[in-house]
Amino acid sequence: MKNKFLLLNVLAASLIFTSCKKEEALPVDSTTPFAAGAKSTQAISQTFIETFESGTKTAYAVGSVSLTSGSWTLDNALIGSLSGDAKNGSQSVRITSTGTLGMNFDVSTGASTVTAQYATYGSDGASSFQLWVSANGGSTYSQVGSTISVSSHTLNTATFTVNQSGSLRFQIRKVSGGSNRINIDDVTVNSYDSGSTGGGTGSVGDNTNLLMGNPSSAVNNTSYPANYLIDQTYYIESYNRDRGTPNWVSWYLGSSSLGSTDRLNNFRADTNLPAGWYEVQGTDYSGSGFDRGHNCPSADRTSSTAANSATFLMDNMIPQAPNNNQKTWANMENYLRSLVTSGNEVYIVMGSYGTGGTGTNGYATTVASGNVNVPSNVWKVAVVIPDGNNDINRVTTTTRVIAVNTPNNNSINSDWTQYKCTVRSIESATGYNILSALPQSVQDAVETKVDNQ
């Protein structure tokens, strides 16, 4: 069975999910099954994921069911466990007609984003659904984000930007497709953080993916396609539409990141990119002589199936010379994980820059018919601190910071320590401010020396 677990840490979040199909929003009203009659005084204050594994509801008729997170009402919906139900684990919600799935309780800490996994049931045809939010205990609702089209039986993840404080509750409404059925699984509410800056740079709390700063001041605005902020829940990135790769990816690595989930190898396009943007396909690097090189590694996200799956989105990849990827970087990744298992937590930023690398087929500047740039250099910065709390304030002038910058070629030395450098040298090459959340005096100390351990 695939791993599912309760998330207790606040995840960084802010992503605009753009669907290729938009439909007119339903009017805000108080006549839905989740209005005044379904109010509850229960409230939760932590970020959570509802996996729908604990409850039972076998009929489509409207009714409430007690789940791990609280009471939910399902109308024209049930909890399915058949082979046709797309699911992580043994159960997911199955919705038909214009059915709804809604919370009968409030999240007292607001929400930055809400994510939900979705797919068609069995071989059913296409449908669509929406996310709606209520800030008054379910009396009225308003739509959040875009209408999501569902046409595949493979689970995908929709991320809705909420960025709203206060007590909130959510519902999912199936709005088209008639008797076609959809599955919904793993609904995650990420708590709102008023300390977030830069129009969606992520939470500033411990164990969050952008704690050390937003290196390029990326924003989730399509007016900035070369520096477009995407929160993939398990890592955050600045994506470059025209290069077809991330500029950088930032993530937290701690004991909670590691578990027993197997590597999924489900390389795939990110269908959540803005409409009209090229979606790099899982097969686009085939025959190029370059690996699909992870930025955030699969082995850094083994705590759950959802976490590991997120690392195989193609906008977490770069065309990376095989020896660079499989030897030099793999060795460094293994080393950083060993630091975690020995009692540390690590904040990591990885990126690439330049054009032109050398793979097994020789030198190339692009792959995927010119849609993906081959970088000339691949770099990483890791901030290492002992396990503890109040992480940002525990980074001092003596904190260990490891910076590495490697050429993207196949004749690279497998010893990653041969490519240690200063953070400032990477900043000079990229124009980024990589550890921007740290006090300037701390930056000046840790960014100007080469790690010697």
Side-chain angles (χ1 to χ4, degrees):
M1 180 180 295
K2 298 179 180 178
N3 252 344
K4 290 188 166 188
F5 69 107
L6 188 63
L7 296 178
L8 298 178
N9 61 298
V10 179
L11 300 174
S14 185
L15 167 66
I16 296 176
F17 179 94
T18 306
S19 172
C20 60
K21 177 181 178 184
K22 294 185 177 180
E23 298 183 343
E24 182 178 357
L26 297 175
V28 176
D29 59 59
S30 58
T31 61
T32 71
F34 312 108
K39 288 182 180 179
S40 169
T41 58
Q42 177 191 4
I44 62 170
S45 59
Q46 74 274 10
T47 296
F48 75 96
I49 180 170
E50 177 51 67
T51 62
F52 304 104
E53 293 293 297
S54 64
T56 301
K57 185 176 184 293
T58 58
Y60 286 112
V62 62
S64 296
V65 58
S66 179
L67 300 171
T68 300
S69 59
S71 172
W72 294 64
T73 295
L74 284 69
D75 185 14
N76 275 317
L78 53 77
I79 295 178
S81 58
L82 301 180
S83 60
D85 288 295
K87 53 191 178 294
N88 284 324
S90 61
Q91 298 188 154
S92 63
V93 173
R94 189 194 315 157
I95 309 176
T96 189
S97 187
T98 52
T100 45
L101 161 69
M103 297 159 49
N104 296 327
F105 56 91
D106 291 331
V107 179
S108 63
T109 53
S112 54
T113 61
V114 172
T115 66
Q117 295 199 0
Y118 65 93
T120 62
Y121 171 81
S123 60
D124 282 11
S127 300
S128 61
F129 72 92
Q130 300 167 342
L131 180 73
W132 288 65
V133 62
S134 173
N136 55 12
S139 294
T140 59
Y141 285 83
S142 58
Q143 187 183 348
V144 177
S146 303
T147 299
I148 308 304
S149 298
V150 187
S151 60
S152 170
H153 186 58
T154 301
L155 283 170
N156 290 290
T157 301
T159 304
F160 302 89
T161 298
V162 183
N163 281 343
Q164 188 172 339
S165 60
S167 294
L168 305 176
R169 63 179 61 186
F170 296 93
Q171 61 177 232
I172 287 173
R173 300 180 180 182
K174 182 175 178 291
V175 295
S176 74
S179 61
N180 290 334
R181 293 155 292 183
I182 64 172
N183 287 119
I184 299 293
D185 205 357
D186 293 357
V187 175
T188 304
V189 178
N190 297 315
S191 298
Y192 178 75
D193 180 6
S194 60
S196 296
T197 59
T201 59
S203 172
V204 296
D206 279 2
N207 306 355
T208 52
N209 294 320
L210 212 55
L211 183 66
M212 296 298 152
N214 182 331
S216 61
S217 298
V219 292
N220 55 355
N221 186 325
T222 55
S223 297
Y224 302 92
N227 191 26
Y228 182 70
L229 190 75
I230 306 179
D231 184 347
Q232 303 288 18
T233 302
Y234 303 99
Y235 55 90
I236 294 178
E237 66 181 293
S238 164
Y239 186 71
N240 192 313
R241 178 197 63 186
D242 298 330
R243 293 173 67 93
T245 62
N247 299 310
W248 52 262
V249 177
S250 182
W251 69 99
Y252 166 80
L253 178 62
S255 58
S256 63
S257 311
L258 306 178
S260 58
T261 299
D262 292 334
R263 178 184 170 98
L264 293 178
N265 283 318
N266 57 337
F267 293 93
R268 64 200 186 281
D270 186 351
T271 58
N272 293 348
L273 288 175
W277 289 23
Y278 181 75
E279 297 175 358
V280 181
Q281 301 298 303
T283 56
D284 269 349
Y285 293 12
S286 298
S288 69
F290 293 94
D291 283 358
R292 295 169 294 192
H294 283 70
N295 280 257
C296 179
S298 163
D300 281 9
R301 291 291 181 260
T302 55
S303 60
S304 71
T305 298
N308 193 259
S309 180
T311 69
F312 287 93
L313 290 170
M314 287 302 293
D315 48 19
N316 182 41
M317 306 297 165
I318 56 171
Q320 194 168 5
N323 285 339
N324 185 306
N325 178 42
Q326 299 171 30
K327 296 180 180 179
T328 313
W329 282 101
N331 290 338
M332 184 181 186
E333 291 165 3
N334 287 333
Y335 175 73
L336 293 178
R337 284 189 291 273
S338 75
L339 293 179
V340 170
T341 58
S342 62
N344 296 285
E345 44 193 338
V346 188
Y347 289 89
I348 306 170
V349 187
M350 175 175 168
S352 56
Y353 66 86
T355 298
T358 304
T360 55
N361 296 342
Y363 180 81
T365 58
T366 64
V367 300
S369 301
N371 286 301
V372 179
N373 179 80
V374 177
S376 63
N377 287 74
V378 188
W379 57 268
K380 180 173 286 184
V381 173
V383 179
V384 184
I385 54 177
D387 287 340
N389 299 312
N390 198 19
D391 291 351
I392 195 72
N393 292 323
R394 293 192 295 122
V395 180
T396 70
T397 57
T398 60
T399 292
R400 187 181 186 192
V401 175
I402 308 169
V404 169
N405 191 355
T406 69
N408 187 25
N409 64 54
N410 222 33
S411 59
I412 189 172
N413 194 309
S414 62
D415 181 4
W416 62 272
T417 65
Q418 300 301 306
Y419 302 96
K420 287 184 179 182
C421 61
T422 66
V423 176
R424 287 287 163 86
S425 67
I426 298 173
E427 291 181 333
S428 177
T430 61
Y432 300 153
N433 186 3
I434 295 172
L435 303 178
S436 59
L438 298 177
Q440 192 60 53
S441 60
V442 176
Q443 292 186 54
D444 291 341
V446 300
E447 292 183 355
T448 56
K449 57 187 175 184
V450 178
D451 175 64
N452 60 7
Q453 295 188 42

